Amino acid sequence: RADICVDTSPTKSWNPSSKIVEYMASEKCIVTTETFAHRFFIKNGINGLLFEPNNVEDLVDKLILSLTSSELRKKFGAEARKTIDREYDARDVNIVLEDFLNTVISSNTKSL
């Protein structure tokens, strides 16, 4: 139900936060750290807001910007969803998930 999802970590990682794609698919306005990995998902000012890691003033500025404009929050959320729809095909994800589940089931049934 939140309009804004704030993710302050990871600040020093090559891996994106595991929640970013979920927030985007849910059409949320995202405020997150400007890291190498997050820049692949979030385009600052287009489908969310990026703030400099460990910079509280920058985070506060981005929060104020997003909190004071419902129009901007809706725009970022809609653009985030469009990014997911355009870049990530659920059928591809389903194949990976199905393979994973088959492997887990297979390895667990052998031990029975």
Side-chain angles (χ1 to χ4, degrees):
R1 292 185 165 197
D3 288 340
I4 302 168
C5 293
V6 180
D7 194 323
T8 59
S9 62
T11 60
K12 295 180 180 179
S13 173
W14 288 85
N15 298 317
S17 168
S18 61
K19 292 290 188 176
I20 295 293
V21 173
E22 181 181 339
Y23 297 153
M24 294 175 77
S26 299
E27 293 189 43
K28 303 301 180 187
C29 172
I30 302 163
V31 178
T32 190
T33 50
E34 184 176 359
T35 63
F36 175 78
H38 289 171
R39 286 192 303 264
F40 281 105
F41 295 97
I42 303 297
K43 305 303 178 210
N44 193 42
I46 296 172
N47 64 355
L49 294 169
L50 297 170
F51 67 92
E52 183 182 335
N54 302 312
N55 184 333
V56 175
E57 287 182 21
D58 193 24
L59 171 58
V60 169
D61 289 344
K62 299 294 171 40
L63 288 173
I64 290 171
L65 178 63
S66 58
L67 287 169
T68 57
S69 175
S70 63
E71 186 176 296
L72 195 61
R73 289 191 305 272
K74 289 177 186 173
K75 173 190 174 268
F76 288 157
E79 289 301 319
R81 178 57 192 235
K82 286 179 190 175
T83 301
I84 293 299
D85 289 342
R86 183 177 56 248
E87 301 294 331
Y88 302 96
D89 188 334
R91 291 170 292 207
D92 293 340
V93 173
N94 287 340
I95 292 168
V96 172
L97 179 59
E98 184 179 8
D99 288 345
F100 169 75
L101 292 174
N102 285 332
T103 301
V104 170
I105 291 168
S106 175
S107 65
N108 286 324
T109 56
K110 289 177 186 177
S111 63
L112 293 176

